[in-house]
Amino acid sequence: MKKNYRHSSFVFLLILLLIFSTAFSIVSVEARKHHTRKSEIQHKHRKRQKNGSGNKATNYSNSPSPAPSPTPTPSHGFYPTQSPIFDILSFGAKGDGVSDDTKALEAAWEAACKVQGATLKIPEFQFLINPLTLQGPCMPNFVFQVDGILLAPPKVGSWPKSSLFQWLNFKWIHNFTIQGTGSLDGQGFNWWKLSQIDYFKVMKQSKSIPDMKPTVLRFYSSFNVTVRDIKIINSPQCHLKFDNSKGVKINNVTISAPESSPNTDGIHLQNTQDVEIHHSNIGTGDDCVSIQTGCSNIHVHHMNCGPGHGISLGGLGKDKSVACVSDIIVDNIILESTMYGARIKTWQVGVQNL
């Protein structure tokens, strides 16, 4: 009986050992399955988080994902939705040469001025523009593209007395280009009809006659300005003027008025430095280029001049003032039907420093 008891005990222990081993194996397998599922879920979650930071998130239907962040709305002041070309016709201009398109030009300027690399386009129509100041500073690389015709008011009496110094005045602009195949027409015929004597005589008799004549195109206190390809014609007085400016390039422009037109200088420079004028045609009946006090580093070359008075330095020293100019070079000029070639004009008793 004792032997049988020992044998039964051994069999019982063996059965328990087999049961324990089977249970441990089942638990191990389930643990490995759980660990695998947990790793897969963590991997998917990390991938979803990565996609949410910059890429499109993958839609996993088996597990919830956080809601995507809303896309920020762009600021129209910094990211313009418009094209960088601003056509004056899009701002209400008629372009018939009769309707007043001044406000359309002002609106187009204000819009284009705020956009870097913008082009304000004057297409191939005629636009009547009243005296106007187009003011900066504007964003860099602004282009004023004139392919049509800008017309000044033809009637002398219609000009406001506050706007007699110039027709189109560009003020405080930098990195600016005016170019195109079109023209700026000052329509100065009615201004020229009056001789100096008749002018003052009529001016005394009529309050509607102004006591001065405007320049077609003036730049004031501007830097890095390019004027190229355009035509500037028939100004009441000077055609193109630069005051207190620096870094001016004038290339391939045509400036013209009848030989008999009075005081219609082509290009007038005053207190302006670093100027190059070249490969252009100027014939206005007066000075092709007039260089006044405060100018330095001026180079005028490869240009046709005439009819007119030639190229003038001065007059200098008016009203006993001190007049200073320096580094003026004029070369390779063709002069035809001119009163002078290149000359220096001074006032008596004035002090000149050349």
Side-chain angles (χ1 to χ4, degrees):
M1 291 297 293
K2 190 175 182 180
K3 183 176 180 180
N4 291 335
Y5 173 78
R6 290 178 179 177
H7 179 73
S8 299
S9 298
F10 177 77
V11 172
F12 179 75
L13 289 174
L14 181 61
I15 292 170
L16 287 178
L17 181 62
L18 290 173
I19 294 172
F20 177 78
S21 299
T22 303
F24 179 79
S25 298
I26 293 172
V27 170
S28 299
V29 170
E30 291 298 324
R32 284 196 297 271
K33 287 182 180 180
H34 176 73
H35 177 73
T36 301
R37 284 197 303 270
K38 184 177 180 181
S39 299
E40 289 176 354
I41 292 173
Q42 289 177 343
H43 175 72
K44 290 179 180 180
H45 182 66
R46 286 194 297 268
K47 187 176 181 180
R48 192 177 300 117
Q49 286 182 327
K50 184 178 179 181
N51 287 333
S53 64
N55 300 324
K56 292 183 178 180
T58 303
N59 184 16
Y60 295 105
S61 59
N62 294 331
S63 58
S65 60
S69 301
T71 303
T73 303
S75 170
H76 292 291
F78 189 74
Y79 299 103
T81 58
Q82 302 180 39
S83 166
I85 297 178
F86 297 81
D87 193 320
I88 188 175
L89 293 175
S90 300
F91 292 83
K94 303 299 183 183
D96 56 14
V98 178
S99 303
D100 184 359
D101 289 327
T102 309
K103 290 185 178 180
L105 179 56
E106 282 184 298
W109 175 272
E110 290 179 5
C113 182
K114 300 174 183 177
V115 180
Q116 183 170 349
T119 296
L120 196 167
K121 184 178 180 180
I122 308 297
E124 297 177 354
F125 298 95
Q126 296 187 14
F127 301 89
L128 179 63
I129 305 295
N130 282 311
L132 180 63
T133 293
L134 299 171
Q135 184 171 307
C138 295
M139 295 295 287
N141 304 317
F142 189 177
V143 176
F144 193 82
Q145 183 76 26
V146 182
D147 293 326
I149 300 174
L150 296 178
L151 298 170
K155 296 181 180 180
V156 175
S158 66
W159 285 66
K161 291 186 177 180
S162 60
S163 303
L164 292 174
F165 196 67
Q166 68 274 316
W167 172 36
L168 297 179
N169 183 32
F170 291 90
K171 186 178 182 181
W172 301 334
I173 57 174
H174 303 167
N175 301 318
F176 178 80
T177 298
I178 178 170
Q179 64 182 22
T181 58
S183 62
L184 282 65
D185 188 347
Q187 302 204 88
F189 300 100
N190 290 326
W191 298 85
W192 307 331
K193 288 179 181 178
L194 303 171
S195 67
Q196 279 300 96
I197 297 176
D198 292 337
Y199 181 78
F200 289 108
K201 189 181 294 184
V202 173
M203 188 177 66
K204 290 179 181 179
Q205 298 173 355
S206 175
K207 295 182 179 180
S208 63
I209 302 299
D211 58 355
M212 64 184 301
K213 300 177 183 179
T215 292
V216 161
L217 181 59
R218 179 187 182 225
F219 288 87
Y220 176 78
S221 192
S222 297
F223 302 91
N224 297 329
V225 174
T226 298
V227 181
R228 62 188 178 205
D229 304 331
I230 62 171
K231 296 179 181 179
I232 307 172
I233 61 175
N234 301 326
S235 178
Q237 195 163 329
C238 180
H239 284 75
L240 174 59
K241 181 183 291 186
F242 285 88
D243 291 326
N244 298 289
S245 297
K246 188 172 184 178
V248 175
K249 294 182 179 181
I250 302 171
N251 176 31
N252 194 37
V253 300
T254 298
I255 301 176
S256 65
E259 186 174 0
S260 59
S261 60
N263 300 316
T264 50
D265 289 357
I267 300 173
H268 183 94
L269 306 176
Q270 184 169 337
N271 293 316
T272 296
Q273 300 82 42
D274 304 334
V275 179
E276 184 181 17
I277 305 169
H278 63 102
H279 294 92
S280 296
N281 298 285
I282 302 177
T284 62
D286 210 296
D287 293 336
C288 294
V289 180
S290 174
I291 303 169
Q292 301 292 323
T293 184
C295 292
S296 64
N297 191 24
I298 312 296
H299 190 193
V300 183
H301 63 96
H302 294 93
M303 195 181 77
N304 295 319
C305 173
H309 295 171
I311 297 174
S312 299
L313 184 60
L316 304 175
K318 187 176 182 180
D319 298 326
K320 300 181 181 181
S321 62
V322 176
C324 300
V325 293
S326 62
D327 299 322
I328 312 297
I329 299 175
V330 178
D331 61 358
N332 291 290
I333 306 296
I334 297 176
L335 299 129
E336 185 176 356
S337 300
T338 59
M339 187 178 295
Y340 309 97
R343 59 176 177 165
I344 299 175
K345 300 188 295 182
T346 62
W347 291 84
Q348 293 180 347
V349 193
V351 180
Q352 291 83 42
N353 185 4
L354 302 176

